[in-house]
Amino acid sequence: MRVEQFDFELPEELIAQTPLKDRDTSRLMVLNKKTGEVNHEVFHDIINHLRPNDTLVLNNTKVMPARLIGQKPDTGASIEVLLLKQEEQDCWETLVKPAKRVKIGTIVEFGDGRLKAECIGTGDMGKRIFKFVYEGIFYEVLDSLGEMPLPPYITEKLDDRDRYQTVFAKEIGSAAAPTAGLHFTTELLDQIKAKGINITYVTLHVGLGTFRPVSVDSVEEHDMHAEFYQMSQETADVLNATHEKGGRIITVGTTSTRTLETIARDHGKFIACEGWTDIFIYPPYQFKGIDGMITNFHLPKSTLIMLISALAGQESVMNAYRIAVEEKYRFFSFGDAMLIIEE
């Protein structure tokens, strides 16, 4: 397939810069994955589309305050370091600006020296490996010094950094939020459970590769980034039982979807496991683990819009996006939501 088949015109003013006051009051577009029919609702009405014995799958990853601003002690030059993933104890793969000022052996200090880092490896596109030195617990130091790594298309400062965190975030390790989950409140999750709908969790630590543009002309030529995932035995049992009882599995976000599809593809059923997935889902992929999905509105020509096109059909999805632009839906991380389901 051609990447241009997933392109559309997006006015800049539709890119949501700040979250709504109440998480569950965003708009909800309901897309019937079989007929392509579109309906417009409010997110908290999503409970009306869920049935007893369905299972909702949430990604409980927690975003690290992974953006650090430091200085080179020898020159005082300012260096921005973005943590990407932990390589081993106290060693991290990072993205550095300006990278040309950081070579092997370069020292960067943060917070008056409370945290220090030495560059021990270099890579392409500004990547550097740092070994960190500190006293105490790393994540506590990071929490006091770091900032939330908001996506590049969000230019306004976030007043409350908890708003770039889901209410069920637990397992720290993401460089970006699983944004479809940002719409849920604790009260809405309680209402869903009270209706007899299962809620279960997987972990996939979102990397910045999720924002990387597709730079090739043919979809099949794109090199997908890898992300770490985990599924517990409890979650596997719930998911297997859901299909055995005729219920539907509905994932919240592309990250939960990629996790379930990886495991279903590799094992033929859901099992307790962990690993790295670089699964790239695009039409005409046949889904093996899920029946529906809740997601946000994505970038033109992104791997994310390709994934949802595999679930609902490329023509239906692109038509839904044209409608979303016409109806002035809010796009991306702090934007509105879409439910893709067959009812």
Side-chain angles (χ1 to χ4, degrees):
M1 297 188 76
R2 309 299 293 173
V3 172
E4 63 190 24
Q5 292 176 256
F6 302 93
D7 196 13
F8 62 94
E9 197 69 37
L10 179 65
E12 189 173 339
E13 62 266 22
L14 296 186
I15 299 174
Q17 292 295 320
T18 55
L20 296 178
K21 179 176 178 290
D22 297 312
R23 291 175 181 262
D24 61 355
T25 58
S26 59
R27 297 169 73 186
L28 176 70
M29 177 183 285
V30 182
L31 173 61
N32 188 307
K33 70 175 186 175
K34 185 175 182 180
T35 67
E37 180 184 358
V38 166
N39 288 299
H40 308 286
E41 301 183 22
V42 179
F43 190 82
H44 54 62
D45 294 328
I46 201 160
I47 191 169
N48 299 329
H49 299 276
L50 304 175
R51 307 170 189 156
N53 295 323
D54 284 349
T55 294
L56 204 60
V57 186
L58 305 165
N59 182 4
N60 66 1
T61 188
K62 189 171 185 178
V63 186
M64 301 180 292
R67 183 172 177 263
L68 292 161
I69 307 297
Q71 292 78 38
K72 294 174 64 176
D74 53 348
T75 65
S78 180
I79 303 293
E80 178 180 324
V81 176
L82 187 63
L83 304 182
L84 297 180
K85 66 179 181 181
Q86 191 169 11
E87 295 287 334
E88 55 185 72
Q89 183 93 26
D90 296 330
C91 293
W92 286 77
E93 180 186 50
T94 70
L95 195 62
V96 172
K97 294 182 191 176
K100 63 182 180 182
R101 292 185 176 175
V102 178
K103 300 176 173 58
I104 291 178
T106 297
I107 303 294
V108 182
E109 295 184 347
F110 312 90
D112 298 324
R114 288 172 55 204
L115 182 65
K116 297 180 181 180
E118 178 183 357
C119 179
I120 61 171
T122 62
D124 59 354
M125 300 177 68
K127 289 184 179 177
R128 298 290 186 268
I129 305 296
F130 274 112
K131 182 174 179 61
F132 287 90
V133 178
Y134 53 92
E135 290 186 4
I137 299 171
F138 179 75
Y139 284 116
E140 290 182 358
V141 176
L142 183 64
D143 195 56
S144 67
L145 297 177
E147 301 175 9
M148 280 298 188
L150 294 178
Y153 46 74
I154 294 177
T155 57
E156 294 191 20
K157 186 174 176 61
L158 184 63
D159 293 331
D160 179 5
R161 72 182 190 181
D162 282 345
R163 290 309 306 272
Y164 194 59
Q165 205 81 268
T166 64
V167 298
F168 46 83
K170 181 181 177 183
E171 304 293 339
I172 193 164
S174 273
T179 54
L182 294 177
H183 303 281
F184 286 91
T185 63
T186 302
E187 292 77 17
L188 180 56
L189 290 171
D190 288 342
Q191 292 168 19
I192 289 170
K193 288 178 188 174
K195 191 177 175 180
I197 297 148
N198 303 304
I199 295 179
T200 194
Y201 300 91
V202 294
T203 302
L204 183 137
H205 292 319
V206 187
L208 289 184
T210 191
F211 303 121
R212 186 160 62 92
V214 178
S215 56
V216 294
D217 294 327
S218 174
V219 171
E220 293 82 0
E221 295 173 359
H222 179 66
D223 184 24
M224 193 68 175
H225 61 284
E227 294 168 316
F228 180 78
Y229 72 89
Q230 289 178 308
M231 178 180 285
S232 68
Q233 187 63 56
E234 179 183 5
T235 292
D237 291 343
V238 169
L239 294 175
N240 290 324
T242 298
H243 274 169
E244 289 169 7
K245 295 175 181 177
R248 299 173 303 175
I249 293 174
I250 298 155
T251 45
V252 178
T254 57
T255 58
S256 298
T257 301
R258 293 179 70 231
T259 301
L260 267 62
E261 289 300 313
T262 296
I263 296 169
R265 176 198 66 184
D266 293 348
H267 303 283
K269 63 177 182 178
F270 298 112
I271 67 167
C273 58
E274 63 180 47
W276 291 83
T277 180
D278 60 357
I279 191 171
F280 182 17
I281 298 173
Y282 56 88
Y285 178 88
Q286 295 297 310
F287 284 82
K288 302 165 183 64
I290 76 164
D291 304 290
M293 178 171 60
I294 300 165
T295 187
N296 279 19
F297 288 90
H298 304 295
L299 284 163
K301 299 195 289 188
S302 63
T303 60
L304 307 179
I305 196 172
M306 294 171 191
L307 186 155
I308 66 170
S309 294
L311 184 61
Q314 185 264 348
E315 289 187 9
S316 290
V317 167
M318 299 313 296
N319 179 60
Y321 269 59
R322 282 191 291 272
I323 294 171
V325 171
E326 290 171 3
E327 296 293 327
K328 299 191 183 308
Y329 273 72
R330 301 165 77 243
F331 276 68
F332 307 154
S333 297
F334 291 138
D336 296 315
M338 173 186 281
L339 169 64
I340 302 172
I341 203 164
E342 182 180 341
E343 296 182 287

